[in-house]
């Protein structure tokens, strides 16, 4: 049975839903779910004070009707199951996810999918800064899973990424893949300044050649049959790589001993 949360009214303060997952609500009785406490502004409030709740006690997906930019932490720590948001969400959506699926119909705030290690996040709109990146003070960004952003992403996308796949349908802001260690990022639009600074390894696919720091070396065009294989095997990369057999390969950040690669396929 689907579990549904529908706001009583527009929120006047930020709501932290990082502890609300399908597994948590599915294990509660209707009454226990109503009294479940969540941070709201500077205090705690019962979930039923903020939402109409339907379908607890089941193992179906969690649907949040009428998203709101004040909803923070949606899907954070998700290990299994599915969360669907009919609208936008605030910061920290999907932070630290290790499994399951998070679907967002609108935009998402900063730190979308930060430190993601598994599962899939799909955003129909735009994402804020630090998507798929490390949180403040952490050395590990996204290490696994798939982050699919159909719109554009803000600054510092994939900072300190260690694994997994990020695909952006629009543009990416400045500082893309800063200190990236491994993993793959594909950007179909324009890429902002200072991309790849401190990059160790990993791959960035780009349709438009970005302006890169001095530590990047252009090795020219290469025939890469692997691109065709990737397009066949990974559905999320078909839009960028389908029919592509060669790419301009730029390697860096060599000033720091890095061997990451930016493959320009446009």
């Amino acid at each position: 049975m689907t579990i549904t949360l529908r706001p009583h009214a527009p929120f006047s303060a930020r709501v932290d839903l990082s502890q609300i997952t399908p597994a948590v609500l599915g294990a509660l009785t209707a009454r226990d779910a109503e009294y479940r406490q969540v941070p709201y502004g500077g205090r705690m409030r019962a979930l039923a004070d903020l939402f109409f709740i339907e379908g607890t006690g089941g193992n179906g997906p969690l649907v949040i009707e009428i998203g709101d930019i004040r909803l923070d932490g949606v899907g954070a720590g998700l290990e299994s199951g599915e969360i669907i948001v009919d609208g936008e969400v605030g910061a920290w959506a999907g932070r630290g996810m290790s499994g399951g699926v998070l679907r967002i119909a609108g935009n998402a705030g900063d730190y979308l999918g930060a430190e993601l290690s598994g599962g899939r996040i799909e955003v129909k709109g735009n994402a804020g800064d630090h998507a798929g990146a490390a949180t403040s003070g952490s050395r590990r960004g996204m290490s696994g899973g798939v982050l699919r952003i159909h719109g554009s992403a803000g600054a510092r996308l994939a900072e300190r990424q260690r694994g997994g796949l990020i695909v952006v349908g629009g543009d990416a802001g400045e500082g893309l893949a800063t200190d990236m260690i491994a993993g793959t990022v594909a950007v179909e639009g324009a890429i902002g300044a200072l991309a790849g600074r401190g990059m160790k390894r990993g791959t960035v696919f780009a349709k438009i050649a970005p302006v890169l720091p001095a530590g990047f070396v252009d090795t020219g065009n290469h025939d890469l049959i692997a691109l065709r294989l990737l397009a066949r095997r990974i559905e999320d990369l078909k839009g960028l790589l389908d029919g592509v057999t060669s790419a301009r390969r730029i390697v860096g950040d060599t000033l720091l001993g890095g061997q990451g690669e930016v493959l320009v396929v446009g």
Side-chain angles (χ1 to χ4, degrees):
M1 178 182 292
T2 299
I3 306 167
T4 303
L5 298 180
R6 186 170 67 254
H8 291 302
F11 302 110
S12 58
R14 306 198 76 85
V15 186
D16 183 353
L17 291 182
S18 59
Q19 301 300 315
I20 303 301
T21 65
V24 168
L25 291 183
L28 298 177
T29 65
R31 185 173 179 81
D32 287 342
E34 290 174 356
Y35 283 98
R36 180 83 182 190
Q37 300 291 304
V38 295
Y40 180 67
R43 51 186 175 159
M44 302 297 286
R45 293 285 296 271
L47 200 57
D49 289 343
L50 306 174
F51 298 92
F52 295 106
I53 307 169
E54 298 177 355
T56 58
N59 58 1
L62 167 61
V63 176
I64 301 174
E65 297 183 354
I66 313 175
D68 191 300
I69 195 66
R70 296 181 181 86
L71 290 176
D72 292 334
V74 175
L78 185 68
E79 297 178 345
S80 62
E82 182 176 9
I83 298 177
I84 302 168
V85 183
D86 185 14
E88 58 186 351
V89 298
W92 307 107
R95 176 189 179 186
M97 268 179 60
S98 58
V101 179
L102 171 60
R103 303 185 193 279
I104 300 167
N107 298 326
D110 294 345
Y111 290 100
L112 169 74
E115 300 177 359
L116 177 74
S117 62
R120 179 182 179 86
I121 300 174
E122 186 150 359
V123 177
K124 291 297 183 183
N126 301 318
D129 296 341
H130 305 284
T135 57
S136 180
S138 173
R139 300 180 64 182
R140 297 179 62 89
M142 177 175 166
S143 60
V146 176
L147 175 54
R148 182 76 166 95
I149 301 167
H150 290 265
S152 295
R156 298 278 178 169
L157 173 73
E159 183 176 18
R160 301 175 191 168
Q161 184 181 353
R162 289 174 175 253
L165 171 65
I166 301 175
V167 180
V168 178
D171 301 334
E174 67 177 27
L176 167 73
T178 296
D179 295 327
M180 183 179 185
I181 296 172
T184 302
V185 182
V187 180
E188 297 188 27
I191 294 175
L194 301 175
R197 189 167 57 178
M199 190 174 175
K200 307 296 189 302
R201 292 190 180 277
T203 301
V204 175
F205 290 108
K207 268 192 174 179
I208 303 170
V211 177
L212 295 166
F216 278 79
V217 177
D218 192 338
T219 69
N221 289 317
H222 299 262
D223 292 329
L224 298 172
I225 192 67
L227 299 179
R228 185 179 298 175
L229 298 176
L230 282 173
R232 288 177 182 171
R233 292 181 57 187
I234 303 176
E235 182 73 24
D236 291 294
L237 290 177
K238 278 188 176 179
L240 189 69
L241 300 182
D242 198 21
V244 174
T245 58
S246 65
R248 177 182 164 198
R249 185 170 183 262
I250 310 171
V251 177
D253 187 344
T254 61
L255 292 180
L256 298 173
Q259 291 295 309
E261 58 180 5
V262 177
L263 298 177
V264 183
V265 299

